[in-house]
Amino acid sequence: MSLISRLESRFGRWAIPNVTAIIIAGQVLLYFAIRFNPNGQGIQPLMRILFLPGQVLEGEVWRIFTFVFYPPIGSPPIFVLFYWFLLYRYGTALEATWGTFRYNCYLLIAIAAHFAAALLIWSRLGDAGVLLAQIFATDRVSIGFRQTNVLLFGTVFLAFARYFPDYILHAFFVLPIRIFWLALVMWIGYAYVLLIGDWPTRLLVGSSLLNYLIFFGRGHWRDWKHGQRRRAFESKVKAASKAILHQCEVCEKNSENSPKTLFRYCSKCEGQRCYCPDHIQDHECVVS
């Protein structure tokens, strides 16, 4: 029995079902609280849920979990609705595939890794450094959604794409795109940030992939090894299929280095003896 199975048998009853719907409901409430507050006071609840290690260590421990309710503000409403629809689609599909406990573990590992990375950044740069790193990582990885928890939900998208690579997503509700290619674009975005970002941004982006690597790293390694064996086999088959078909017994001219040469076989020689036009008439026949 695997570790996750043992944990599920012991703690499975504490798993939270429909956690994706709960997260989206919280984001919806905060989103409309900000959008329809005429005095600009709607931003205050967001400041109370942001993930800031300094505030957590001072007693505001709810920030460890409430930052997942940070809504995608600053984007057109139609894109926000599309974002929630996709998040619900991906999250519920993963929960149905894994089960409630494993899906909860996937999110909890991401939250724990994010907390550890933010704590390290806070020890050097303070809460302001953590907030700036979250903003920079979001701007460089996401497309149009500025929210400090976008890296967490990015791993939900990558996990869904891993299980359902042929799922068709209609970009702008018209253009059909396989989700495999969208996931590839996201991986390129992660790689770009890891290459050019400063160390806090790299740390946040790298830690956000920990849960994905724990759940899918072994499968990717097996796929890579299988691909290596397949490529080696195909190269051997290709080499065998390129074997020389005709070769002159005298000058060793062959059909590979002289493809236009018309080779002929001598009927007087023993066995199948091949000769080029220059030696078909002028050679010593091989007989027993």
Side-chain angles (χ1 to χ4, degrees), residues 214-286:
I214 290 176
F215 275 71
F216 298 102
R218 183 177 298 179
H220 280 292
W221 175 255
R222 286 197 301 264
D223 291 346
W224 182 80
K225 295 294 290 184
H226 177 71
Q228 288 286 93
R229 290 193 296 268
R230 186 183 68 252
R231 286 187 290 270
F233 174 76
E234 290 175 350
S235 64
K236 291 180 181 178
V237 171
K238 186 177 182 180
S241 64
K242 291 179 63 177
I244 297 174
L245 297 178
H246 309 288
Q247 180 169 312
C248 180
E249 295 284 340
V250 178
C251 64
E252 297 187 351
K253 182 185 295 185
N254 57 62
S255 56
E256 182 177 354
N257 56 33
S258 183
K260 295 183 178 181
T261 301
L262 298 176
F263 293 92
R264 298 172 62 186
Y265 289 85
C266 180
S267 59
K268 298 180 181 180
C269 290
E270 184 182 55
Q272 297 291 323
R273 303 287 177 172
C274 181
Y275 299 94
C276 66
D278 297 332
H279 297 105
I280 186 64
Q281 301 293 340
D282 183 17
H283 71 273
E284 184 177 351
C285 293
V286 179

Side-chain angles (χ1 to χ4, degrees), residues 15-282:
I16 303 174
N18 300 316
V19 66
T20 306
I22 296 173
I23 291 173
I24 293 175
Q27 291 190 7
V28 169
L29 290 175
L30 287 173
Y31 179 83
F32 285 102
I34 296 170
R35 294 279 296 185
F36 297 103
N37 191 293
N39 299 322
Q41 299 300 318
I43 198 67
Q44 295 302 320
L46 293 182
M47 301 305 297
R48 299 288 295 174
I49 68 171
L50 283 175
F51 189 80
L52 302 174
Q55 300 297 321
V56 172
L57 295 177
E58 290 181 3
E60 298 181 1
V61 294
W62 63 82
R63 292 176 180 267
I64 298 176
F65 300 100
T66 56
F67 84 100
V68 301
F69 298 109
Y70 195 98
I73 59 175
S75 302
I78 186 64
F79 288 105
V80 174
L81 291 175
F82 192 55
Y83 168 81
W84 283 329
F85 167 76
L86 292 179
L87 179 58
Y88 180 78
R89 177 71 179 89
Y90 301 154
T92 53
L94 289 177
E95 186 172 353
T97 302
W98 279 332
T100 300
F101 180 79
R102 296 188 181 218
Y103 181 57
N104 280 198
C105 287
Y106 188 75
L107 296 178
L108 286 175
I109 292 172
I111 292 173
H114 187 84
F115 174 74
L119 191 63
L120 182 59
I121 297 171
W122 170 81
S123 66
R124 299 285 301 276
L125 303 175
D127 282 339
V130 174
L131 186 59
L132 288 176
Q134 290 173 340
I135 294 173
F136 291 157
T138 297
D139 286 342
R140 293 170 180 174
V141 173
S142 66
I143 303 176
F145 295 105
R146 296 184 176 182
Q147 54 187 124
T148 56
N149 51 28
V150 74
L151 295 176
L152 169 65
F153 300 123
T155 60
V156 174
F157 167 76
L158 293 176
F160 179 86
R162 173 67 175 173
Y163 274 114
F164 309 100
D166 295 325
Y167 180 81
I168 300 298
L169 182 66
H170 290 82
F172 304 104
F173 306 99
V174 177
L175 183 63
I177 303 176
R178 277 183 63 203
I179 202 170
F180 170 83
W181 299 112
L182 295 177
L184 181 61
V185 171
M186 178 168 282
W187 278 115
I188 293 174
Y190 278 110
Y192 175 75
V193 173
L194 292 175
L195 285 175
I196 61 93
D198 53 12
W199 74 266
T201 305
R202 291 177 179 176
L203 185 60
L204 279 181
V205 171
S207 65
S208 69
L209 295 173
L210 179 63
N211 59 340
Y212 182 89
L213 294 177
I214 290 176
F215 275 71
F216 298 102
R218 183 177 298 179
H220 280 292
W221 175 255
R222 286 197 301 264
D223 291 346
W224 182 80
K225 295 294 290 184
H226 177 71
Q228 288 286 93
R229 290 193 296 268
R230 186 183 68 252
R231 286 187 290 270
F233 174 76
E234 290 175 350
S235 64
K236 291 180 181 178
V237 171
K238 186 177 182 180
S241 64
K242 291 179 63 177
I244 297 174
L245 297 178
H246 309 288
Q247 180 169 312
C248 180
E249 295 284 340
V250 178
C251 64
E252 297 187 351
K253 182 185 295 185
N254 57 62
S255 56
E256 182 177 354
N257 56 33
S258 183
K260 295 183 178 181
T261 301
L262 298 176
F263 293 92
R264 298 172 62 186
Y265 289 85
C266 180
S267 59
K268 298 180 181 180
C269 290
E270 184 182 55
Q272 297 291 323
R273 303 287 177 172
C274 181
Y275 299 94
C276 66
D278 297 332
H279 297 105
I280 186 64
Q281 301 293 340
D282 183 17

